Amino acid sequence: DVVLTQSPLSLPVTLGQPASISCRSSQSLVSSDGNTYLNWFQQRPGQSPRRLIYKVSNRDSGVPDRFSGSGSGTDFTLKISRVEAEDVGVYYCMQGTHWPPVTFGGGTKVDIK
Amino acid sequence: EVQLVQSGGDLVQSGGSLRLSCAASGFTFSNYWMSWARQAPGKGLEWVANINQDGSEKYYVDSVKGRFTISRDNAKNSLYLQMTSLRAGDTALYYCATGRRLGPCWGQGTLVTVSS
């Protein structure tokens, strides 16, 4: 199974400042169809997960443009350009290239300093 | 509005069975793969199973193979997860979601607690 390693585990940020989360895969996530199925999810406290980014860098509908995804192969990054209070929560990367199983990273908890 | 409304979670004894349901609305259910995921208390997310549009393909995480069965009823716009031989380790909040790779729409979650 593909192992996704996220860092850091915890990320205290100052409002209005940028934040960055890393996700590293145990193998390349480039699919045989040429796509890279690496997604990012946000889970606010007490809520269901919400997909923010799909296929590395595509924002889902309604996701603010302060969220961006990048990367290739085995190294991926989620960036928040200016953190807002509503961004507090846990962020997960997820790969859907080598499935089953679909696998998740362990999560990064973002909170406000 | 795309919506997934879940039901069926409960407290059950170890070895027992439970069926979770997920009612879909706001989109053409029969056109989409569907998935189940779960989250143990205080833990991360885990994909559980998915099913293709007509139910002919089903995939499971190893830990539930032979115990859980995913199914769907396209006439009722509903997704199901039949869980048998439940263990303490199955205690979790269970989510249904659109897509084979856990897409943009998720249900509100339903809690399954397995007591020993």
Side-chain angles (χ1 to χ4, degrees):
Chain A
D1 298 353
V2 173
V3 176
L4 298 179
T5 303
Q6 287 185 232
S7 61
L9 265 63
S10 177
L11 184 56
V13 294
T14 301
L15 288 173
Q17 293 301 302
S20 181
I21 299 170
S22 170
C23 176
R24 291 188 169 174
S25 174
S26 60
Q27 58 184 282
S28 173
L29 297 184
V30 180
S31 174
S32 56
D33 65 8
N35 290 307
T36 299
Y37 295 100
L38 187 285
N39 301 340
W40 289 95
F41 289 84
Q42 174 196 62
Q43 188 173 32
R44 292 170 171 154
Q47 294 189 12
S48 299
R50 169 197 185 194
R51 196 178 71 179
L52 299 175
I53 302 285
Y54 63 96
K55 288 193 284 185
V56 181
S57 59
N58 298 277
R59 266 190 309 275
D60 273 282
S61 175
V63 174
D65 60 8
R66 65 178 181 274
F67 290 94
S68 64
S70 63
S72 63
T74 60
D75 288 345
F76 303 92
T77 303
L78 176 70
K79 292 183 179 177
I80 310 173
S81 59
R82 294 173 303 281
V83 172
E84 298 189 6
E86 65 178 19
D87 300 336
V88 166
V90 181
Y91 291 78
Y92 297 92
C93 58
M94 185 219 84
Q95 71 82 24
T97 295
H98 303 289
W99 71 277
V102 169
T103 54
F104 288 89
T108 295
K109 185 175 183 180
V110 172
D111 60 13
I112 305 301
K113 281 183 184 174
Chain B
E1 179 196 3
V2 176
Q3 203 169 12
L4 297 174
V5 178
Q6 299 182 230
S7 60
D10 206 346
L11 171 64
V12 62
Q13 285 195 331
S14 180
S17 300
L18 206 57
R19 188 174 90 151
L20 306 183
S21 298
C22 172
S25 60
F27 65 104
T28 306
F29 179 73
S30 58
N31 286 354
Y32 289 85
W33 280 74
M34 295 293 294
S35 297
W36 288 97
R38 67 184 178 181
Q39 186 170 36
K43 302 297 184 182
L45 296 166
E46 180 183 40
W47 170 81
V48 173
N50 60 14
I51 185 169
N52 72 339
Q53 289 88 338
D54 65 4
S56 61
E57 294 183 53
K58 303 175 185 181
Y59 300 92
Y60 301 90
V61 68
D62 283 350
S63 59
V64 309
K65 280 180 185 174
R67 300 188 300 121
F68 290 12
T69 302
I70 188 172
S71 63
R72 65 191 297 160
D73 185 335
N74 287 340
K76 294 183 178 180
N77 291 335
S78 291
L79 175 72
Y80 306 101
L81 187 67
Q82 179 69 47
M83 304 184 294
T84 63
S85 302
L86 283 161
R87 309 164 179 167
D90 296 319
T91 293
L93 193 55
Y94 284 73
Y95 296 100
C96 60
T98 54
R100 78 175 81 183
R101 299 178 175 94
L102 297 161
C105 187
W106 289 54
Q108 84 279 15
T110 189
L111 183 62
V112 173
T113 304
V114 183
S115 68
S116 51

